[in-house]
Amino acid sequence: MNATQIQNALVLCMILGFAATEIISRRYKNTVHATANDTKLELFMFLSLLAISQPLAMLVTAKLGAWLAPEYKDILADWPWWGMAGILILCDDLTQYWWHRLSHSPLLWPLHRAHHSAHYMSIRITFRNNFFYYLMMPGLWLAGVLIYLGVGGLVYALYVVVKLTVIVGAHCAWRWDEPLYKIPALRPVMWVVERTISTPATHWAHHAITQKDGVGHYKGNFGNLLFIWDIIFGSAHITQKYPAQVGLKDDQLFGQEHWYHQMFYPLFQSKREYSALKFGGKIYAEDE
């Protein structure tokens, strides 16, 4: 098996493992009440990321590299694994933190809003976003550049597996960190873990429908693989608790946006009276 095949096999096993925990724990049955609209958005976004956004970024960066900088092809191939992992963390995960943080600004919120419109947490919402959110994500293109420069093979494959494991686990309906918080001997370990990587407790807080309960924190906790970026840049909120509700208040009040408005804005714009998914629309503020 080559590196890509190993990566795909491990990612598939990981996804099936988390899916099994959602089903066995009955968290999926009891908490995930998705509509057909939700399913279409999540399925089509997952397929578009795999079939369009990621391959396009890899193809374009490889072609541009061969055209503009052929002498730099595989120039980093002899780096040690820890050097490759370090540059991946900086160029992929750190830039994704800032892209995620900026996507909560009025200008970019319509491209990320779909991720927060789910009124449940599950592995199925991991890649739920606007099509252009991923197409414009800096980390995706920088990863293509690094692969062209030689940061690839098993190092990149394992980086992807570790990152996706953390991200999928943070969205999982089964909250893997919850029982660990209850074990006194693990408190020092969990103190380090929740400040290092994204966990269900910190990421569910980011998806909360309100911040007024002291648990929700949708204006922070932006980390994807590493939560330490939130610690460094002052956007962290850690309570070891989970919000009572996730989702968006405006969807509760005015009805769910159609999947194609969420996925393809600004090509398709919402007809809803109060909506961020149309020109001139605005983000619903919690105090309105």
Side-chain angles (χ1 to χ4, degrees):
M1 295 178 69
N2 60 33
T4 300
Q5 291 172 327
I6 292 172
Q7 170 193 304
N8 293 340
L10 291 175
V11 168
L12 179 60
C13 290
M14 176 270 294
I15 291 174
L16 291 175
F18 277 120
T21 64
E22 289 192 340
I23 295 169
I24 293 170
S25 67
R26 302 181 68 83
R27 290 285 303 175
Y28 189 89
K29 180 180 180 180
N30 295 334
T31 67
V32 180
H33 306 295
T35 66
N37 194 65
D38 291 314
T39 300
K40 290 175 183 176
L41 174 60
E42 291 158 2
L43 177 61
F44 292 148
M45 268 309 308
F46 178 67
L47 293 176
S48 72
L49 177 60
L50 289 181
I52 301 174
S53 302
Q54 187 177 42
L56 182 64
M58 300 301 161
L59 175 64
V60 171
T61 51
K63 294 294 185 182
L64 286 176
W67 176 39
L68 298 174
E71 68 275 20
Y72 291 106
K73 172 71 173 173
D74 293 332
I75 195 172
L76 304 181
D78 293 329
W79 275 29
W81 70 266
W82 51 266
M84 291 185 179
I87 198 170
L88 279 168
I89 288 172
L90 292 176
C91 291
D92 175 64
D93 198 57
L94 177 56
T95 61
Q96 193 169 350
Y97 165 85
W98 281 107
W99 176 242
H100 186 188
R101 185 166 178 167
L102 289 172
S103 72
H104 280 257
S105 66
L107 178 62
L108 295 177
W109 172 245
L111 302 186
H112 183 56
R113 183 191 181 282
H115 190 64
H116 286 265
S117 65
H119 54 279
Y120 49 85
M121 294 297 289
S122 169
I123 64 172
R124 58 182 287 164
I125 76 166
T126 304
F127 303 108
R128 174 177 171 141
N129 262 301
N130 179 280
F131 175 75
F132 299 103
Y133 177 84
Y134 286 117
L135 201 61
M136 297 167 59
M137 181 182 289
L140 197 62
W141 295 88
L142 287 172
V145 172
L146 291 178
I147 290 173
Y148 175 77
L149 295 177
V151 179
L154 197 57
V155 173
Y156 182 73
L158 293 179
Y159 171 80
V160 170
V161 171
V162 170
K163 180 170 182 174
L164 288 181
T165 300
V166 171
I167 294 173
V168 172
H171 290 90
C172 188
W174 173 66
R175 304 183 295 216
W176 61 263
D177 56 344
E178 190 171 21
L180 302 181
Y181 288 133
K182 299 175 182 178
I183 303 175
L186 291 181
R187 286 173 184 167
V189 175
M190 291 306 296
W191 188 95
V192 174
V193 169
E194 66 189 356
R195 285 163 175 77
T196 305
I197 63 171
S198 293
T199 63
T202 55
H203 197 68
W204 283 45
H206 176 70
H207 280 258
I209 202 167
T210 180
Q211 297 198 148
K212 294 180 179 180
D213 59 0
V215 176
H217 191 55
Y218 55 74
K219 294 183 180 179
N221 291 15
F222 299 112
N224 288 271
L225 166 58
L226 296 182
F227 188 77
I228 197 170
W229 306 129
D230 287 283
I231 302 291
I232 293 172
F233 298 112
S235 54
H237 182 63
I238 301 173
T239 65
Q240 297 186 355
K241 298 178 181 179
Y242 311 88
Q245 282 186 296
V246 297
L248 296 175
K249 188 66 175 180
D250 52 317
D251 278 1
Q252 277 192 348
L253 296 174
F254 310 113
Q256 191 179 44
E257 298 275 19
H258 291 297
W259 70 268
Y260 48 87
H261 294 144
Q262 298 188 69
M263 182 172 175
F264 291 116
Y265 173 90
L267 299 182
F268 296 97
Q269 298 188 36
S270 175
K271 301 296 190 294
R272 204 175 75 180
E273 182 177 357
Y274 199 118
S275 175
L277 298 180
K278 61 183 179 182
F279 295 145
K282 62 177 181 177
I283 299 177
Y284 180 84
E286 186 176 3
D287 57 355
E288 293 189 31

